[in-house]
Amino acid sequence: MRLPILTLLLFFSIHGKGQENYPKDAFRPPLDIPLILAGSFGELRSNHFHSGIDIKTQQRQGLPVYAIGDGTVTRIKISLWGYGKAMYIAHPNGYTSVYAHLQKFAPEIEAYIKKIQYKKRAYEVEVFPDFGELKVEKGKVIAYSGNSGGSSGPHLHFEIRSSISEKPTNPLLYGLEVRDATNPTFLGLYGYPLSKNAQLNQSNEKVQINFSRQQDGSFLADTVYAAGTIGFGFNGFDRQDLAANKNGVYRVQQLVNGKIYSDYDFETFSFIETRYINTLIDYAHFGAYQQRVQQCFRAPGNRLSIYNQLHNDGKIVVREGLSYTVEILITDFEGNASRVRIPIVGKRQELKIVKKDVKTDHYIIAKKPNNYDLGAAKVYFPSNTFYEDFYMDLKKGKDTVTIHNNKVPAHRNFTITFDTSKYSDKERQQLFIARLDKRRRPNYASTYKRGTTFTTRTRNLGTYTLAKDTVAPKIRTKNFREKQWLTNYRYLSLHISDDLSGVDTYSATLNGEWILMEYEPKTRTLTYNFDDIILDKKQCELKVVVTDNVGNKATFSTTFYRK
């Protein structure tokens, strides 16, 4: 879009915030295909900012992944969720590159990690090789792309961090080329009365503001009539060329009558602050509609360091009889920008929408610990569990308690404790703490059992109950049959599932010897690679044991042939 000269001057004058002198030619891309992003750095995710870029791998797995520079492997972690199979490489220039959701590692590294897995008899492992033990060279294959862990589709999650502070930085700062000539997009615009007597468009509740596209490509909002201290928020996205993905924007700026009131970007952030994303977004809106509205003002409890500049915490004091022009500018990494202009007239009007003050018997003071006895369970909130004080809705039940709702974020874990003394030992063995979803279906919450006391630690408000799981997991073959010849098979796989509490552990033996089976929870598949062990028998006895989270156990045995 073509921006007016004044706005361009303002943009460029505040765009250079004194970034570090990131090396632009030290690293090569981690893939040999054009870099097309499925996710951008700093993108808004559940309870965290995205700490890297997600590179599309042409909807396939197994693409070679290259070391972006000379270095040494400092960490390898394999987990069922999260990053799945991940590798960390330290480079001599003070940066560490991270490669995640991998399918497998290069042969030397794969052999190294499998040796450890067999020694520990575990699929999930985390190791920190001695410095220099696993050296890599720039441009050499270190792994193959995959879909492991919490990935929702084949891609490479790639990061560059400071080796000293471990803060992630935007990988595009290092000269990686991504085609992008597309402007970000505004989806919605919202106004917030923030002070006690503030109002906005005859409301002292949040209101949605209409806007329309102008001939120059910018957007113009309907005139806002307001008084008192107000703020604005928006939801939107950015697209790179060649991709339909709705990614996050790089920079957000808010100006009032030409003065910068708020300015933040996603050059870098710290992992210890990432959960404060819940103070950047309108969390109540997210809980209700699953849409992340970014607030252009700093809300209570917000300790984010992403701000370049703030005036009055981004809040706007509107006085009667005066006029204001607010501009919100959202920009992607390449400088493509979209702007919405909001004209404001300082005028009080008759309120048509009056904020309802909901009060309960339980007032949470965020800075203090809070403890409640709900009959079926006790709830303990440590100090600073929440970002601000509020009235909490608590409901008692026979075996169920409701702890407010999903419109308030918790920053720290709180504790829910159930007394199960009225149950027999056998019943307690099959019980677990569950959080009920919208359809009242129980979802397992990590349950710690000590005698008749069951406890879970969580950050999720909602309804919790005691649930019972009496059914053992199910196991069946997936790519072979009983007594089948598997001579030409590269791997064998099984399907495992549990109907309620979920799979906790599994183990497998082949002719009495422990074997490594990789578990993919998204497809509920166990896979064994025949290259791991050279079989010296034609007749092979496979035994698999799967246990759920309350101890129900299933054992599966089968015979196959191979030579």
Side-chain angles (χ1 to χ4, degrees):
M1 61 175 275
R2 292 183 178 273
L3 295 175
I5 293 176
L6 175 59
T7 306
L8 281 170
L9 289 173
L10 283 167
F11 169 71
F12 286 115
S13 68
I14 59 182
H15 189 66
K17 68 166 187 174
Q19 292 178 345
E20 290 184 24
N21 187 23
Y22 298 99
K24 297 292 192 297
D25 55 2
F27 298 131
R28 59 148 288 160
L31 296 171
D32 264 348
I33 59 174
L35 301 187
I36 302 173
L37 303 188
S40 57
F41 182 83
E43 197 166 271
L44 310 181
R45 302 286 177 89
S46 293
N47 301 309
H48 71 284
F49 297 108
H50 191 223
S51 57
I53 55 175
D54 288 342
I55 305 173
K56 287 175 170 286
T57 54
Q58 301 173 338
Q59 299 181 331
R60 333 180 250 156
Q61 300 187 50
L63 295 184
V65 178
Y66 301 91
I68 65 169
D70 294 344
T72 181
V73 178
T74 55
R75 182 185 181 192
I76 300 172
K77 185 175 182 180
I78 298 177
S79 52
L80 295 177
W81 297 105
Y83 283 5
K85 294 184 178 182
M87 182 191 303
Y88 301 69
I89 297 174
H91 304 282
N93 59 359
Y95 295 100
T96 293
S97 55
V98 182
Y99 314 78
H101 304 309
L102 302 170
Q103 180 190 62
K104 60 182 179 179
F105 305 102
E108 179 186 356
I109 302 172
E110 184 79 5
Y112 172 90
I113 197 66
K114 277 200 173 181
K115 184 177 179 180
I116 293 171
Q117 288 175 308
Y118 270 90
K119 182 179 179 180
K120 294 186 175 183
R121 293 193 169 193
Y123 171 67
E124 292 189 284
V125 294
E126 183 176 17
V127 295
F128 300 87
D130 293 337
F131 197 86
E133 185 178 2
L134 293 175
K135 291 183 178 179
V136 299
E137 296 179 18
K138 182 177 183 177
K140 297 292 185 177
V141 175
I142 55 171
Y144 296 88
S145 67
N147 187 34
S148 59
S151 171
S152 58
H155 73 277
L156 175 68
H157 173 88
F158 174 70
E159 298 179 18
I160 298 180
R161 304 180 181 181
S162 164
S163 297
I164 297 174
S165 68
E166 295 189 355
K167 289 179 66 175
T169 49
N170 195 320
L172 300 186
L173 293 163
Y174 300 85
L176 299 182
E177 294 185 4
V178 176
R179 284 182 54 182
D180 187 0
T182 306
N183 295 332
T185 299
F186 283 103
L187 290 175
L189 185 64
Y190 300 85
Y192 296 80
L194 299 176
S195 58
K196 184 178 180 180
N197 296 315
Q199 62 169 249
L200 195 152
N201 287 355
Q202 297 183 292
S203 171
N204 56 13
E205 288 269 26
K206 176 185 71 178
V207 298
Q208 187 165 5
I209 301 168
N210 295 324
F211 59 93
S212 58
R213 183 183 291 274
Q214 304 301 293
Q215 288 186 347
D216 65 356
S218 67
F219 295 92
L220 177 64
D222 292 350
T223 298
V224 169
Y225 296 91
T229 301
I230 66 172
F232 291 99
F234 74 94
N235 64 324
F237 64 88
D238 182 47
R239 274 200 178 109
Q240 284 80 36
D241 298 356
L242 308 177
N245 300 77
K246 295 180 179 180
N247 299 330
V249 301
Y250 177 69
R251 190 166 199 159
V252 176
Q253 298 157 325
Q254 178 187 228
L255 296 89
V256 181
N257 293 342
K259 180 176 180 176
I260 303 165
Y261 266 54
S262 57
D263 174 16
Y264 63 89
D265 67 29
F266 293 104
E267 174 190 344
T268 184
F269 62 86
S270 171
F271 284 114
I272 63 173
E273 66 177 327
T274 189
R275 195 172 179 87
Y276 286 103
I277 186 177
N278 292 328
T279 63
L280 177 69
I281 66 172
D282 180 343
Y283 196 88
H285 188 96
F286 175 70
Y289 305 106
Q290 295 299 296
Q291 297 173 348
R292 293 184 175 92
V293 174
Q294 299 186 52
Q295 297 172 147
C296 297
F297 55 92
R298 184 159 60 181
N302 183 336
R303 298 182 183 179
L304 290 170
S305 64
I306 60 175
Y307 294 96
N308 305 310
Q309 196 166 344
L310 274 172
H311 174 74
N312 196 35
D313 281 340
K315 300 171 183 177
I316 306 161
V317 179
V318 178
R319 304 188 188 283
E320 290 189 81
L322 299 180
S323 296
Y324 306 80
T325 299
V326 174
E327 288 182 293
I328 298 176
L329 192 69
I330 57 175
T331 312
D332 64 23
F333 184 82
E334 294 297 329
N336 303 302
S338 289
R339 173 175 61 96
V340 61
R341 189 170 73 255
I342 311 166
I344 301 175
V345 174
K347 182 180 180 181
R348 286 195 177 276
Q349 299 175 303
E350 180 184 354
L351 288 177
K352 291 185 177 180
I353 301 174
V354 179
K355 184 177 182 179
K356 297 178 182 178
D357 290 328
V358 179
K359 294 185 178 181
T360 70
D361 294 333
H362 311 289
Y363 187 68
I364 294 288
I365 299 176
K367 292 183 178 181
K368 294 184 178 181
N370 295 270
N371 198 9
Y372 299 99
D373 187 344
L374 302 181
K378 295 179 179 179
V379 186
Y380 173 68
F381 302 106
S383 57
N384 297 310
T385 297
F386 302 103
Y387 299 106
E388 57 183 315
D389 303 344
F390 69 103
Y391 284 98
M392 174 174 278
D393 184 22
L394 297 172
K395 295 179 181 177
K396 298 181 179 181
K398 185 178 180 181
D399 277 330
T400 302
V401 295
T402 297
I403 307 166
H404 207 65
N405 54 52
N406 66 344
K407 295 181 182 181
V408 174
H411 190 74
R412 300 180 61 187
N413 282 314
F414 60 91
T415 303
I416 308 171
T417 303
F418 282 84
D419 179 6
T420 63
S421 57
K422 65 181 180 180
Y423 296 97
S424 68
D425 290 344
K426 182 178 180 180
E427 287 176 314
R428 278 195 293 272
Q429 186 176 346
Q430 297 172 326
L431 288 174
F432 64 94
I433 300 174
R435 183 171 183 260
L436 300 182
D437 63 17
K438 291 181 179 180
R439 297 182 181 180
R440 307 290 292 182
R441 295 175 302 189
N443 293 290
Y444 177 80
S446 295
T447 305
Y448 305 93
K449 301 180 179 182
R450 180 176 292 180
T452 60
T453 300
F454 286 15
T455 301
T456 188
R457 298 180 71 244
T458 181
R459 291 188 179 105
N460 298 313
L461 301 179
T463 300
Y464 288 83
T465 189
L466 288 173
K468 182 183 289 188
D469 185 357
T470 61
V471 180
K474 295 180 180 179
I475 309 170
R476 61 176 174 83
T477 61
K478 195 169 182 180
N479 72 334
F480 69 100
R481 302 184 304 277
E482 170 83 11
K483 295 184 179 180
Q484 183 179 351
W485 281 92
L486 305 180
T487 301
N488 297 321
Y489 278 53
R490 292 184 296 107
Y491 65 91
L492 59 82
S493 64
L494 299 97
H495 184 274
I496 64 174
S497 61
D498 187 74
D499 71 329
L500 194 55
S501 64
V503 172
D504 180 28
T505 63
Y506 68 90
S507 64
T509 59
L510 190 57
N511 294 335
E513 185 175 352
W514 187 89
I515 58 173
L516 174 67
M517 297 203 81
E518 298 192 5
Y519 180 39
E520 175 48 80
K522 297 190 292 291
T523 59
R524 301 177 179 179
T525 301
L526 284 176
T527 303
Y528 167 69
N529 189 327
F530 280 117
D531 291 340
D532 285 0
I533 296 176
I534 299 176
L535 299 171
D536 57 2
K537 294 182 180 180
K538 291 183 180 179
Q539 181 171 316
C540 302
E541 304 291 338
L542 175 68
K543 181 180 178 181
V544 178
V545 179
V546 180
T547 306
D548 66 19
N549 278 297
V550 297
N552 297 312
K553 182 182 295 185
T555 301
F556 175 83
S557 298
T558 190
T559 301
F560 63 87
Y561 302 97
R562 183 178 171 87
K563 63 179 179 179

